[in-house]
Amino acid sequence: MKEKITLTFLLFFALFSITANAENKGENFIAPPANDDCANATTLTVNSDFLCTATASGTVAEATASSTVNACPGSATNANNDVWFKFVATSNEHRIELLNVTGSQTNLYHSVFDAGATGDCSTLTAGDAVFCSDPNTSNLTALTIGNMYYIRVFANDTGTHDTTFDICVGTTPLPPANDDCVDAVIASSFPFNLAVDASTATNNGGFVDVAGCGGAMNDGVWYEMVGDGSNVTITVNPSGWDAKIAVYSGSCGTFTCIAESNTGTVGDVETETFTSTAGVTYYINIGHPSGASDFAEGPFNIEISLSGLSIEDLVSKGFSYFPNPIRGGELKMNAKENIKSVNVYNMIGQEVKRIVLSNVFSYKLDMSDLSDGVYFIRAEVGDSTGTFKVIKK
């Protein structure tokens, strides 16, 4: 009995000494991730669209190699630090996305295996692989609904890494409810913010081509609002596609161009501001800027915000204007800082003049070519912008 107690004590003392020695040297013992092997794969929630509302976090830090054969062809031969996830297919097509990849190795691979209806991963072979991807987004097709699929994420080298990431499974959504102008989503509370997946938006009756709006564009998705005289700013942040903003008055199919923005390319934020007229209905179209090809839209965030008619910020820059009403066709403006731009809008919020200036502290705006009526002037002075109303007689 004494021998057993003595042996137990010696083993405990040895383990304590090793741990203490490691701590004295600044070494840490970190366990591999819980999903280090296929049998303990993390279960993923399948999203009904591509917005990735439901994600799971992952890391390859301290991950070890799995016995499952690496099914990636070519140079992707190293999977010594892999982690595993799984999901049940709810559609024949799903999208896998690795998001927020940060750490010492951001070039991650992921391969996907079909484990059938039983979901047994212990017998997976290279023949069960249905996909291997170097990019962080992959679109899977010809999946079997109800089958279990395993995702293996790894860094393709022999080193160790502290890389972390998020992962999601998306599904091709149905066409959005506001796919057509007549079904436009009404924005009535501001600021209006919405996350949207327009991946399956259709071109309906064809391209939208309205004079003055920068050429034809795809008939993407639609929003509707009623003006109240405020400045309206529309901001669209697209994910992975090129977005255009177009604003119209009138009615569906019978439009007048108010404003448009198509300054960027894929993934660039688009912003457009126009001065609304109280009681006028505006239609906002968000789509791909092509009048020749029906390109796919994608996920995006939209914000519509209002700002009142005010020149308080401009007054602080020493800004003034006269006369009002205008009888000679000329509006004079002065400021103590640089007048950078002047935009003129008519009563329906349509831009009728756009002037870009440089190093100008006094400017005479010629409105002689405009009809008599009410106009809204937006001026940019220094780092401030303001809008005011003038009457031309």
Side-chain angles (χ1 to χ4, degrees), residues 249-299:
S249 61
S251 58
C252 293
T254 308
F255 293 124
T256 297
C257 178
I258 299 300
E260 60 90 20
S261 178
N262 180 31
T263 59
T265 58
V266 174
D268 289 339
V269 175
E270 296 287 347
T271 300
E272 182 59 37
T273 298
F274 69 96
T275 301
S276 69
T277 299
V280 172
T281 297
Y282 297 95
Y283 295 92
I284 303 166
N285 187 18
I286 311 298
H288 198 286
S290 174
S293 299
D294 181 16
F295 290 106
E297 283 79 26

Side-chain angles (χ1 to χ4, degrees), residues 302-319:
I302 182 172
E303 177 179 321
I304 305 174
S305 58
L306 307 181
S307 59
L309 298 177
S310 172
I311 61 168
E312 292 179 2
D313 290 341
L314 297 188
V315 171
S316 67
K317 308 292 185 182
F319 180 81

Side-chain angles (χ1 to χ4, degrees), residues 12-25 27 29:
F12 174 79
F13 179 77
L15 179 61
F16 176 81
S17 298
I18 292 171
T19 304
N21 188 48
E23 290 177 350
N24 290 334
K25 292 181 179 180
E27 297 175 2
F29 289 96

Side-chain angles (χ1 to χ4, degrees), residues 36-338:
D36 188 42
D37 55 53
C38 173
N40 296 311
T42 299
T43 301
L44 299 175
T45 299
V46 177
N47 291 273
S48 60
D49 51 33
F50 294 146
L51 292 179
C52 282
T53 303
T55 63
S57 298
T59 180
V60 297
E62 302 299 323
T64 62
S66 299
S67 59
T68 305
V69 176
N70 183 9
C72 288
S75 60
T77 57
N78 295 301
N80 66 313
N81 53 2
D82 57 9
V83 288
W84 293 81
F85 302 85
K86 63 182 179 180
F87 70 96
V88 175
T90 59
S91 170
N92 300 123
E93 299 181 358
H94 284 297
R95 175 179 292 177
I96 310 297
E97 290 192 71
L98 301 184
L99 308 166
N100 305 316
V101 181
T102 59
S104 56
Q105 173 58 280
T106 56
N107 183 28
L108 295 180
Y109 280 74
H110 64 276
S111 52
V112 183
F113 296 82
D114 184 354
T118 63
D120 183 7
C121 72
S122 63
T123 58
L124 290 180
T125 66
D128 295 316
V130 296
F131 202 85
C132 179
S133 177
D134 178 14
N136 290 337
T137 299
S138 58
N139 294 300
L140 309 179
T141 60
L143 302 182
T144 301
I145 296 174
N147 276 13
M148 178 72 76
Y149 289 86
Y150 286 84
I151 306 170
R152 180 188 209 170
V153 181
F154 61 96
N156 180 38
D157 58 43
T158 57
T160 58
H161 299 286
D162 58 358
T163 304
T164 60
F165 59 91
D166 294 323
I167 184 171
C168 84
V169 180
T171 309
T172 304
L174 296 171
N178 57 338
D179 187 42
D180 199 348
C181 174
V182 296
D183 298 314
V185 169
I186 297 176
S188 57
S189 178
F190 303 94
F192 174 85
N193 292 282
L194 199 63
V196 181
D197 188 354
S199 302
T200 53
T202 68
N203 218 23
N204 296 307
F207 302 101
V208 183
D209 191 1
V210 179
C213 263
M217 65 180 289
N218 280 199
D219 180 359
V221 290
W222 294 84
Y223 300 87
E224 178 184 339
M225 62 169 291
V226 177
D228 63 358
S230 301
N231 295 327
V232 180
T233 299
I234 305 163
T235 302
V236 171
N237 187 0
S239 176
W241 63 287
D242 185 8
K244 176 180 177 178
I245 301 171
V247 183
Y248 312 111
S249 61
S251 58
C252 293
T254 308
F255 293 124
T256 297
C257 178
I258 299 300
E260 60 90 20
S261 178
N262 180 31
T263 59
T265 58
V266 174
D268 289 339
V269 175
E270 296 287 347
T271 300
E272 182 59 37
T273 298
F274 69 96
T275 301
S276 69
T277 299
V280 172
T281 297
Y282 297 95
Y283 295 92
I284 303 166
N285 187 18
I286 311 298
H288 198 286
S290 174
S293 299
D294 181 16
F295 290 106
E297 283 79 26
F300 66 93
N301 290 301
I302 182 172
E303 177 179 321
I304 305 174
S305 58
L306 307 181
S307 59
L309 298 177
S310 172
I311 61 168
E312 292 179 2
D313 290 341
L314 297 188
V315 171
S316 67
K317 308 292 185 182
F319 180 81
S320 62
Y321 65 95
F322 64 94
N324 189 19
I326 304 167
R327 289 184 170 84
E330 189 175 83
L331 180 69
K332 299 176 183 179
M333 290 174 278
N334 296 298
K336 293 180 180 179
E337 293 189 23
N338 181 25

